[in-house]
Amino acid sequence: MAAPPKKAFPLRLDPALYAAIERSAAGDLRSVNAQVECLLREALSRRGVKLEPPVKRKRGRPPKDEAKAPEGEA
């Protein structure tokens, strides 16, 4: 089952705030986008807002389709 698409929207940040998020993301081995999402989830959780856990996306190559003919056969 595919993960639902994420909502994209423009976000304007103060350059100093962006730099701080960028440093924090690098320390956590995340992208800036993933770090912003993580920080927002943490802030909402502290305020008592209940969220479902994020949908984990599968990583790596998709499994080989067994119904396909091997390479070179048609």
Side-chain angles (χ1 to χ4, degrees):
M1 182 174 173
K6 293 199 172 201
K7 174 71 176 164
F9 68 98
L11 177 64
R12 290 176 290 280
L13 296 173
D14 178 84
L17 177 59
Y18 184 86
I21 294 170
E22 197 171 33
R23 286 190 305 273
S24 176
D28 291 344
L29 300 176
R30 289 189 178 116
S31 67
V32 170
N33 189 73
Q35 189 71 356
V36 168
E37 189 171 343
C38 183
L39 292 169
L40 287 171
R41 286 181 176 279
E42 288 175 5
L44 288 172
S45 177
R46 281 194 302 270
R47 289 182 171 225
V49 177
K50 303 286 185 194
L51 290 173
E52 292 185 21
V55 175
K56 297 265 185 179
R57 293 182 179 240
K58 291 186 179 180
R59 298 188 67 177
R61 292 185 180 181
K64 290 186 178 181
D65 186 9
E66 307 260 341
K68 281 182 154 179
E71 294 278 331
E73 292 182 25

